[in-house]
Coordinates of all heavy atoms in Angstrom, one line a residue:
R1 N 20.2 -9.8 4.3 CA 20.2 -8.3 4.2 C 18.8 -7.8 4.3 O 18.5 -6.7 4.7 CB 20.9 -7.9 3.0 CG 21.1 -6.4 3.0 CD 21.5 -5.7 1.7 NE 22.5 -6.1 0.9 CZ 22.6 -5.6 -0.3 NH1 21.7 -4.8 -0.8 NH2 23.6 -5.8 -1.1
F2 N 17.8 -8.6 3.9 CA 16.4 -8.2 3.8 C 15.9 -7.9 5.2 O 15.1 -7.0 5.4 CB 15.6 -9.4 3.2 CG 14.2 -9.0 3.0 CD1 13.8 -8.2 1.9 CD2 13.2 -9.5 3.8 CE1 12.5 -7.9 1.7 CE2 11.9 -9.2 3.6 CZ 11.5 -8.4 2.6
F3 N 16.3 -8.7 6.3 CA 15.8 -8.5 7.6 C 16.7 -7.7 8.5 O 16.4 -7.5 9.7 CB 15.5 -9.8 8.3 CG 14.3 -10.5 7.6 CD1 14.4 -11.6 6.9 CD2 13.0 -10.0 7.8 CE1 13.3 -12.3 6.3 CE2 11.9 -10.6 7.3 CZ 12.1 -11.7 6.5
V4 N 17.9 -7.3 8.0 CA 18.8 -6.5 8.8 C 19.2 -5.2 8.2 O 20.0 -4.4 8.8 CB 20.1 -7.3 9.1 CG1 19.8 -8.5 10.0 CG2 20.8 -7.7 7.8
G5 N 18.7 -4.8 7.1 CA 19.0 -3.5 6.4 C 18.3 -2.4 7.1 O 17.6 -2.5 8.1
P6 N 18.5 -1.2 6.5 CA 17.9 0.0 7.1 C 16.3 0.0 7.0 O 15.7 0.6 7.8 CB 18.5 1.1 6.2 CG 19.0 0.5 5.0 CD 19.3 -0.9 5.3
D7 N 15.8 -0.8 6.1 CA 14.3 -0.9 6.0 C 13.8 -2.1 6.5 O 12.8 -2.7 6.1 CB 13.9 -0.8 4.5 CG 14.1 0.6 3.9 OD1 14.0 1.6 4.7 OD2 14.3 0.7 2.7
R8 N 14.5 -2.7 7.5 CA 14.1 -4.0 8.1 C 12.7 -4.0 8.7 O 12.0 -5.0 8.6 CB 15.1 -4.5 9.1 CG 15.2 -3.7 10.3 CD 16.3 -4.1 11.3 NE 16.3 -3.3 12.5 CZ 17.0 -2.2 12.6 NH1 17.6 -1.7 11.6 NH2 17.0 -1.5 13.7
L9 N 12.3 -2.9 9.3 CA 10.9 -2.9 9.9 C 9.9 -3.0 8.8 O 8.8 -3.7 9.0 CB 10.8 -1.7 10.8 CG 11.7 -1.7 12.0 CD1 11.5 -0.5 12.8 CD2 11.4 -3.0 12.9
W10 N 10.0 -2.2 7.7 CA 9.1 -2.3 6.6 C 9.1 -3.7 6.0 O 8.0 -4.2 5.6 CB 9.4 -1.2 5.6 CG 9.0 0.2 6.0 CD1 9.8 1.2 6.3 CD2 7.7 0.7 6.1 NE1 9.1 2.3 6.6 CE2 7.8 2.0 6.5 CE3 6.4 0.1 6.0 CZ2 6.6 2.8 6.8 CZ3 5.3 0.9 6.2 CH2 5.4 2.2 6.6
N11 N 10.3 -4.2 5.8 CA 10.4 -5.6 5.2 C 9.7 -6.6 6.1 O 9.1 -7.5 5.6 CB 11.8 -5.9 4.9 CG 12.5 -5.0 3.9 OD1 11.8 -4.4 3.1 ND2 13.8 -4.9 3.9
L12 N 9.9 -6.5 7.4 CA 9.3 -7.5 8.3 C 7.8 -7.3 8.3 O 7.0 -8.3 8.3 CB 9.8 -7.2 9.7 CG 9.3 -8.2 10.8 CD1 9.7 -9.6 10.5 CD2 9.8 -7.8 12.2
F13 N 7.3 -6.1 8.2 CA 5.9 -5.8 8.1 C 5.3 -6.4 6.8 O 4.3 -7.1 6.9 CB 5.6 -4.3 8.1 CG 4.2 -3.9 8.0 CD1 3.3 -4.2 9.0 CD2 3.8 -3.1 6.9 CE1 2.0 -3.8 8.9 CE2 2.5 -2.7 6.8 CZ 1.6 -3.0 7.8
D14 N 6.0 -6.2 5.7 CA 5.5 -6.8 4.4 C 5.5 -8.3 4.5 O 4.6 -9.0 4.0 CB 6.4 -6.4 3.3 CG 6.2 -4.9 2.9 OD1 5.2 -4.4 3.2 OD2 7.1 -4.4 2.2
F15 N 6.5 -8.9 5.1 CA 6.6 -10.3 5.2 C 5.4 -10.9 6.1 O 4.8 -11.9 5.7 CB 8.0 -10.7 5.9 CG 8.1 -12.2 6.0 CD1 8.4 -13.0 4.9 CD2 8.0 -12.8 7.3 CE1 8.5 -14.4 5.1 CE2 8.2 -14.1 7.5 CZ 8.4 -15.0 6.4
C16 N 5.1 -10.2 7.2 CA 4.0 -10.7 8.0 C 2.7 -10.6 7.3 O 1.9 -11.5 7.4 CB 4.0 -9.8 9.3 SG 5.3 -10.1 10.4
I17 N 2.5 -9.5 6.6 CA 1.2 -9.4 5.8 C 1.2 -10.5 4.7 O 0.1 -11.1 4.5 CB 1.1 -8.0 5.2 CG1 0.9 -7.0 6.3 CG2 0.0 -8.0 4.1 CD1 0.8 -5.6 5.8
L18 N 2.3 -10.8 4.1 CA 2.3 -11.8 3.1 C 2.0 -13.2 3.7 O 1.1 -13.9 3.2 CB 3.7 -11.9 2.4 CG 3.9 -13.0 1.4 CD1 3.1 -12.7 0.2 CD2 5.3 -13.3 1.2
V19 N 2.6 -13.5 4.8 CA 2.3 -14.8 5.5 C 0.8 -14.9 5.9 O 0.2 -15.9 5.7 CB 3.2 -15.0 6.7 CG1 2.8 -16.2 7.6 CG2 4.7 -15.2 6.2
V20 N 0.3 -13.9 6.5 CA -1.1 -13.9 7.0 C -2.0 -14.0 5.7 O -3.0 -14.7 5.8 CB -1.4 -12.7 7.8 CG1 -2.9 -12.6 8.1 CG2 -0.6 -12.8 9.1
S21 N -1.7 -13.3 4.7 CA -2.5 -13.4 3.5 C -2.5 -14.8 2.9 O -3.6 -15.3 2.4 CB -2.0 -12.4 2.4 OG -2.1 -11.1 2.9
V22 N -1.4 -15.4 2.8 CA -1.3 -16.8 2.3 C -2.1 -17.7 3.2 O -2.9 -18.6 2.7 CB 0.1 -17.2 2.1 CG1 0.2 -18.7 1.8 CG2 0.8 -16.4 1.0
I23 N -2.0 -17.6 4.5 CA -2.7 -18.5 5.4 C -4.2 -18.2 5.2 O -5.0 -19.2 5.2 CB -2.3 -18.2 6.8 CG1 -0.8 -18.8 7.0 CG2 -3.2 -18.9 7.8 CD1 -0.2 -18.4 8.3
S24 N -4.6 -17.0 5.1 CA -6.1 -16.7 5.0 C -6.6 -17.2 3.7 O -7.8 -17.5 3.6 CB -6.3 -15.2 5.3 OG -5.8 -14.5 4.2
T25 N -5.8 -17.2 2.7 CA -6.3 -17.6 1.3 C -6.6 -19.1 1.4 O -7.6 -19.6 0.8 CB -5.2 -17.4 0.3 OG1 -5.0 -15.9 0.2 CG2 -5.7 -17.8 -1.1
F26 N -5.8 -19.9 2.0 CA -6.0 -21.3 2.1 C -6.9 -21.8 3.2 O -7.5 -22.9 3.1 CB -4.6 -22.0 2.3 CG -3.7 -22.0 1.1 CD1 -2.5 -21.3 1.2 CD2 -4.1 -22.5 -0.1 CE1 -1.7 -21.2 0.1 CE2 -3.3 -22.4 -1.2 CZ -2.1 -21.8 -1.1
D27 N -7.2 -20.9 4.1 CA -8.1 -21.3 5.2 C -9.2 -20.3 5.5 O -9.4 -19.8 6.5 CB -7.2 -21.5 6.5 CG -8.0 -22.2 7.6 OD1 -9.0 -22.8 7.3 OD2 -7.6 -22.1 8.8
M28 N -10.0 -20.0 4.4 CA -11.0 -19.0 4.5 C -12.2 -19.5 5.4 O -12.9 -18.7 5.9 CB -11.5 -18.7 3.1 CG -10.6 -17.9 2.3 SD -10.2 -16.3 3.0 CE -11.7 -15.4 2.7
S29 N -12.4 -20.8 5.5 CA -13.5 -21.2 6.3 C -13.3 -21.0 7.8 O -14.3 -20.9 8.5 CB -13.8 -22.7 6.0 OG -12.6 -23.5 6.4
A30 N -12.1 -20.9 8.2 CA -11.8 -20.8 9.7 C -11.7 -19.3 10.1 O -11.6 -19.1 11.3 CB -10.5 -21.5 10.0
T31 N -11.7 -18.4 9.2 CA -11.5 -17.0 9.5 C -12.9 -16.3 9.6 O -13.8 -16.7 8.9 CB -10.6 -16.3 8.5 OG1 -11.2 -16.4 7.2 CG2 -9.2 -16.8 8.5
N32 N -13.0 -15.3 10.4 CA -14.3 -14.6 10.4 C -14.1 -13.3 9.6 O -13.0 -12.9 9.2 CB -14.7 -14.3 11.9 CG -13.6 -13.6 12.7 OD1 -12.7 -13.0 12.1 ND2 -13.8 -13.6 14.0
A33 N -15.2 -12.6 9.5 CA -15.2 -11.4 8.6 C -14.4 -10.2 9.2 O -13.7 -9.5 8.5 CB -16.6 -10.9 8.4
S34 N -14.3 -10.1 10.5 CA -13.6 -9.0 11.1 C -12.1 -9.2 10.9 O -11.3 -8.3 10.7 CB -13.9 -8.9 12.6 OG -13.5 -10.0 13.3
F35 N -11.6 -10.5 11.0 CA -10.2 -10.7 10.7 C -9.8 -10.4 9.3 O -8.8 -9.8 9.0 CB -9.9 -12.2 11.0 CG -8.5 -12.6 10.8 CD1 -7.5 -12.1 11.7 CD2 -8.1 -13.4 9.8 CE1 -6.2 -12.4 11.5 CE2 -6.8 -13.7 9.6 CZ -5.8 -13.2 10.5
I36 N -10.7 -10.7 8.3 CA -10.4 -10.4 6.9 C -10.4 -8.9 6.7 O -9.6 -8.4 6.0 CB -11.5 -11.1 6.0 CG1 -11.3 -12.6 6.1 CG2 -11.4 -10.6 4.6 CD1 -12.4 -13.4 5.4
R37 N -11.3 -8.2 7.4 CA -11.3 -6.7 7.3 C -10.0 -6.2 7.9 O -9.4 -5.2 7.3 CB -12.5 -6.1 8.1 CG -13.7 -6.0 7.2 CD -14.8 -5.2 8.0 NE -15.9 -6.1 8.0 CZ -16.6 -6.5 9.0 NH1 -16.2 -6.1 10.2 NH2 -17.6 -7.3 8.9
L38 N -9.5 -6.7 9.0 CA -8.2 -6.3 9.6 C -7.1 -6.5 8.6 O -6.2 -5.7 8.5 CB -8.0 -7.0 10.9 CG -6.7 -6.7 11.6 CD1 -6.8 -5.2 12.1 CD2 -6.5 -7.6 12.8
L39 N -7.1 -7.7 7.9 CA -6.1 -7.9 6.9 C -6.1 -6.9 5.8 O -5.1 -6.4 5.3 CB -6.3 -9.3 6.3 CG -5.9 -10.5 7.1 CD1 -6.2 -11.8 6.4 CD2 -4.4 -10.4 7.5
R40 N -7.3 -6.5 5.3 CA -7.4 -5.5 4.3 C -6.8 -4.2 4.7 O -6.2 -3.5 4.0 CB -8.8 -5.4 3.8 CG -9.3 -6.6 3.0 CD -10.7 -6.4 2.5 NE -11.1 -7.6 1.9 CZ -12.4 -7.9 1.7 NH1 -13.3 -7.2 2.2 NH2 -12.7 -9.0 1.1
I41 N -7.1 -3.8 5.9 CA -6.6 -2.6 6.5 C -5.0 -2.6 6.6 O -4.4 -1.7 6.2 CB -7.2 -2.3 7.9 CG1 -8.7 -1.9 7.7 CG2 -6.4 -1.1 8.6 CD1 -9.4 -1.9 9.0
A42 N -4.5 -3.8 7.0 CA -3.1 -3.9 7.0 C -2.4 -3.9 5.7 O -1.4 -3.3 5.5 CB -2.7 -5.2 7.7
K43 N -3.1 -4.5 4.7 CA -2.6 -4.4 3.3 C -2.6 -2.9 2.8 O -1.7 -2.5 2.1 CB -3.4 -5.3 2.4 CG -3.1 -6.7 2.6 CD -4.0 -7.5 1.6 CE -3.9 -9.0 1.9 NZ -4.8 -9.8 1.0
G44 N -3.6 -2.2 3.2 CA -3.7 -0.8 2.8 C -2.6 0.0 3.5 O -2.1 1.0 2.9
A45 N -2.2 -0.4 4.6 CA -1.1 0.3 5.3 C 0.2 0.2 4.6 O 1.1 1.0 4.8 CB -1.0 -0.2 6.8
R46 N 0.3 -0.8 3.8 CA 1.6 -1.0 3.0 C 1.8 0.2 2.0 O 2.9 0.5 1.7 CB 1.5 -2.2 2.2 CG 1.6 -3.5 3.0 CD 1.5 -4.7 2.2 NE 2.6 -4.9 1.3 CZ 2.7 -5.8 0.4 NH1 1.8 -6.7 0.3 NH2 3.8 -6.0 -0.3
T47 N 0.7 0.9 1.7 CA 0.9 2.1 0.8 C 1.6 3.2 1.5 O 2.2 4.1 0.9 CB -0.5 2.6 0.4 OG1 -1.3 3.0 1.5 CG2 -1.2 1.6 -0.5
L48 N 1.7 3.2 2.8 CA 2.5 4.2 3.6 C 4.0 4.1 3.2 O 4.7 5.1 3.2 CB 2.3 4.0 5.1 CG 1.0 4.3 5.6 CD1 1.0 3.9 7.1 CD2 0.6 5.7 5.4
K49 N 4.4 2.9 2.8 CA 5.8 2.8 2.4 C 6.0 3.6 1.1 O 7.0 4.2 0.9 CB 6.1 1.3 2.1 CG 7.5 1.0 1.9 CD 7.7 -0.5 1.8 CE 9.1 -0.9 1.6 NZ 9.4 -2.3 1.5
A50 N 5.1 3.6 0.2 CA 5.2 4.3 -1.1 C 5.1 5.8 -0.8 O 5.8 6.6 -1.5 CB 4.1 3.9 -2.1
V51 N 4.3 6.2 0.1 CA 4.1 7.6 0.4 C 5.4 8.2 1.0 O 5.8 9.3 0.7 CB 3.0 7.8 1.5 CG1 3.0 9.3 2.0 CG2 1.7 7.5 0.8
R52 N 6.2 7.4 1.7 CA 7.5 7.8 2.2 C 8.4 8.1 1.1 O 9.2 9.1 1.2 CB 8.0 6.7 3.1 CG 9.3 7.1 3.8 CD 9.8 6.0 4.6 NE 10.0 4.8 3.8 CZ 10.7 3.7 4.2 NH1 11.2 3.7 5.5 NH2 10.9 2.7 3.5
F53 N 8.4 7.4 0.0 CA 9.3 7.7 -1.1 C 8.9 8.9 -1.9 O 9.7 9.5 -2.6 CB 9.4 6.5 -2.1 CG 10.1 5.3 -1.5 CD1 9.4 4.1 -1.3 CD2 11.4 5.4 -1.1 CE1 10.1 3.0 -0.7 CE2 12.0 4.3 -0.5 CZ 11.4 3.1 -0.3
I54 N 7.6 9.3 -1.9 CA 7.1 10.4 -2.7 C 7.8 11.7 -2.1 O 8.1 12.6 -2.9 CB 5.6 10.5 -2.6 CG1 5.0 9.4 -3.4 CG2 5.1 11.8 -3.2 CD1 3.5 9.2 -3.3
R55 N 8.0 11.8 -0.8 CA 8.6 13.0 -0.3 C 10.0 13.2 -0.8 O 10.4 14.3 -1.0 CB 8.7 12.8 1.3 CG 7.6 13.3 2.0 CD 7.9 13.3 3.5 NE 7.8 11.9 3.9 CZ 8.3 11.5 5.0 NH1 9.0 12.2 5.8 NH2 8.2 10.2 5.4
Y56 N 10.8 12.2 -1.1 CA 12.2 12.3 -1.5 C 12.4 12.3 -3.0 O 13.5 12.6 -3.4 CB 13.0 11.2 -0.8 CG 12.9 11.1 0.6 CD1 12.3 10.1 1.3 CD2 13.4 12.2 1.4 CE1 12.2 10.1 2.7 CE2 13.3 12.2 2.8 CZ 12.7 11.1 3.4 OH 12.6 11.1 4.8
S57 N 11.4 12.0 -3.8 CA 11.6 11.9 -5.2 C 10.8 13.0 -5.9 O 9.6 13.0 -5.9 CB 11.2 10.5 -5.7 OG 11.2 10.5 -7.1
E58 N 11.6 14.0 -6.5 CA 10.9 15.1 -7.1 C 10.2 14.6 -8.4 O 9.1 15.0 -8.7 CB 11.9 16.1 -7.5 CG 11.3 17.4 -8.1 CD 12.4 18.4 -8.4 OE1 13.4 18.5 -7.6 OE2 12.2 19.2 -9.3
A59 N 10.8 13.6 -9.1 CA 10.2 13.1 -10.3 C 8.9 12.4 -10.0 O 7.9 12.5 -10.7 CB 11.1 12.1 -11.0
L60 N 8.9 11.6 -8.9 CA 7.6 10.9 -8.5 C 6.6 11.9 -8.1 O 5.4 11.7 -8.4 CB 8.0 10.0 -7.4 CG 6.9 8.9 -7.0 CD1 6.5 8.1 -8.2 CD2 7.5 8.0 -5.9
Q61 N 7.0 13.0 -7.5 CA 6.0 14.1 -7.1 C 5.4 14.7 -8.4 O 4.2 14.9 -8.4 CB 6.7 15.2 -6.3 CG 7.0 14.8 -4.9 CD 7.7 15.9 -4.2 OE1 8.0 17.0 -4.7 NE2 8.1 15.6 -2.9
R62 N 6.2 14.9 -9.4 CA 5.7 15.5 -10.6 C 4.7 14.5 -11.3 O 3.6 14.9 -11.8 CB 6.8 15.8 -11.6 CG 7.4 17.1 -11.4 CD 8.3 17.5 -12.6 NE 9.6 17.8 -11.9 CZ 10.7 17.3 -12.3 NH1 10.9 16.5 -13.2 NH2 11.8 17.7 -11.6
M63 N 5.0 13.2 -11.3 CA 4.1 12.2 -11.9 C 2.8 12.1 -11.1 O 1.8 12.0 -11.7 CB 4.8 10.8 -11.9 CG 5.9 10.8 -12.9 SD 6.7 9.1 -13.2 CE 6.4 8.2 -11.8
L64 N 2.9 12.2 -9.8 CA 1.7 12.2 -9.0 C 0.8 13.4 -9.3 O -0.4 13.3 -9.4 CB 2.0 12.1 -7.5 CG 0.9 11.9 -6.6 CD1 0.1 10.6 -6.9 CD2 1.4 11.9 -5.2
R65 N 1.4 14.6 -9.3 CA 0.6 15.8 -9.6 C 0.0 15.7 -11.0 O -1.2 16.1 -11.1 CB 1.5 17.0 -9.5 CG 1.8 17.5 -8.1 CD 2.4 18.9 -8.1 NE 3.4 18.8 -7.1 CZ 4.7 18.9 -7.2 NH1 5.3 19.1 -8.4 NH2 5.5 18.9 -6.1
G66 N 0.7 15.2 -12.0 CA 0.2 15.0 -13.3 C -1.0 14.1 -13.3 O -2.0 14.3 -14.0
S67 N -0.8 12.9 -12.6 CA -1.9 11.9 -12.6 C -3.1 12.5 -11.9 O -4.3 12.2 -12.3 CB -1.4 10.7 -11.8 OG -0.4 10.1 -12.5
L68 N -2.9 13.3 -10.8 CA -4.1 13.8 -10.1 C -4.8 14.9 -11.0 O -6.0 14.9 -11.0 CB -3.7 14.5 -8.8 CG -3.3 13.5 -7.7 CD1 -2.8 14.2 -6.5 CD2 -4.5 12.7 -7.3
S69 N -4.0 15.7 -11.7 CA -4.7 16.7 -12.6 C -5.5 16.0 -13.7 O -6.6 16.4 -14.1 CB -3.7 17.7 -13.2 OG -2.8 17.0 -14.1
V70 N -5.0 14.9 -14.3 CA -5.7 14.1 -15.3 C -6.9 13.5 -14.7 O -8.0 13.5 -15.3 CB -4.8 13.0 -15.9 CG1 -5.6 12.1 -16.7 CG2 -3.7 13.7 -16.7
A71 N -6.8 13.0 -13.4 CA -8.0 12.4 -12.8 C -9.1 13.4 -12.5 O -10.3 13.1 -12.8 CB -7.6 11.8 -11.5
F72 N -8.7 14.6 -12.1 CA -9.7 15.7 -12.0 C -10.4 16.0 -13.3 O -11.6 16.2 -13.3 CB -9.1 16.9 -11.3 CG -8.8 16.7 -9.9 CD1 -7.6 17.1 -9.4 CD2 -9.7 16.2 -9.0 CE1 -7.2 17.0 -8.0 CE2 -9.4 16.0 -7.6 CZ -8.2 16.4 -7.2
G73 N -9.6 16.1 -14.3 CA -10.1 16.4 -15.7 C -11.1 15.3 -16.1 O -12.2 15.6 -16.6
L74 N -10.7 14.1 -15.9 CA -11.6 13.0 -16.3 C -12.9 13.0 -15.4 O -14.0 12.7 -15.9 CB -10.9 11.6 -16.1 CG -9.9 11.3 -17.1 CD1 -9.1 10.0 -16.8 CD2 -10.5 11.2 -18.5
F75 N -12.8 13.3 -14.1 CA -14.0 13.4 -13.3 C -15.0 14.4 -13.8 O -16.2 14.2 -14.0 CB -13.5 13.8 -11.9 CG -14.7 14.1 -10.9 CD1 -15.5 13.1 -10.4 CD2 -15.0 15.4 -10.6 CE1 -16.5 13.4 -9.6 CE2 -16.0 15.8 -9.8 CZ -16.8 14.7 -9.3
W76 N -14.5 15.6 -14.1 CA -15.4 16.7 -14.6 C -15.9 16.3 -16.0 O -17.1 16.7 -16.3 CB -14.7 18.0 -14.6 CG -14.6 18.6 -13.2 CD1 -13.4 18.7 -12.5 CD2 -15.6 18.9 -12.4 NE1 -13.7 19.2 -11.3 CE2 -15.1 19.3 -11.1 CE3 -17.0 18.9 -12.5 CZ2 -15.8 19.7 -10.0 CZ3 -17.8 19.4 -11.4 CH2 -17.2 19.7 -10.2
T77 N -15.1 15.7 -16.8 CA -15.6 15.2 -18.1 C -16.8 14.2 -17.9 O -17.8 14.3 -18.6 CB -14.5 14.6 -18.9 OG1 -13.4 15.5 -19.1 CG2 -15.0 14.1 -20.3
A78 N -16.6 13.3 -17.0 CA -17.7 12.3 -16.7 C -18.9 13.0 -16.2 O -20.1 12.6 -16.5 CB -17.2 11.3 -15.7
I79 N -18.8 14.0 -15.4 CA -19.9 14.8 -14.8 C -20.7 15.5 -16.0 O -21.9 15.5 -16.0 CB -19.4 15.8 -13.8 CG1 -18.9 15.1 -12.6 CG2 -20.6 16.7 -13.4 CD1 -19.9 14.3 -11.8
I80 N -19.9 16.1 -16.9 CA -20.5 16.8 -18.0 C -21.3 15.9 -18.9 O -22.4 16.2 -19.4 CB -19.5 17.7 -18.7 CG1 -19.1 18.8 -17.8 CG2 -20.1 18.2 -20.0 CD1 -17.9 19.6 -18.4
L81 N -20.7 14.7 -19.2 CA -21.3 13.8 -20.1 C -22.5 13.2 -19.5 O -23.5 12.8 -19.9 CB -20.3 12.7 -20.5 CG -19.2 13.2 -21.4 CD1 -18.2 12.0 -21.7 CD2 -19.7 13.8 -22.7

């Protein structure tokens, strides 16, 4: 069901990133820096999956707004101190 469900493309994407990450962890000497950068970008793209859920969940939107307002408050507190 993991590879044939409605989210099969996201699941396949996650699986590919996992496999490449495991391979790169064990074989760091054979990889170059640009490949590692590409892996980091691909891992960052996984956050798009979470962004998709934010649109549909009102509770998650509220939590995100609250977290951002706290972060802005902490930023200005750090600036003042």
Side-chain angles (χ1 to χ4, degrees):
R1 191 193 308 165
F2 186 77
F3 290 109
V4 294
D7 289 333
R8 67 183 178 275
L9 295 177
W10 284 110
N11 294 337
L12 182 63
F13 179 66
D14 286 341
F15 180 75
C16 290
I17 289 177
L18 176 74
V19 168
V20 171
S21 297
V22 169
I23 291 170
S24 68
T25 300
F26 290 115
D27 193 16
M28 289 298 287
S29 62
T31 58
N32 58 14
S34 62
F35 181 68
I36 293 173
R37 273 188 236 126
L38 181 65
L39 285 178
R40 288 183 184 155
I41 291 170
K43 287 179 186 178
R46 290 176 70 183
T47 58
L48 294 175
K49 189 175 182 179
V51 171
R52 184 177 62 164
F53 290 118
I54 291 173
R55 269 188 285 159
Y56 300 114
S57 174
E58 187 177 329
L60 194 55
Q61 287 178 0
R62 275 191 233 128
M63 289 186 338
L64 184 61
R65 278 191 220 115
S67 297
L68 286 175
S69 67
V70 168
F72 287 133
L74 286 174
F75 170 75
W76 286 112
T77 302
I79 294 295
I80 290 172
L81 293 177

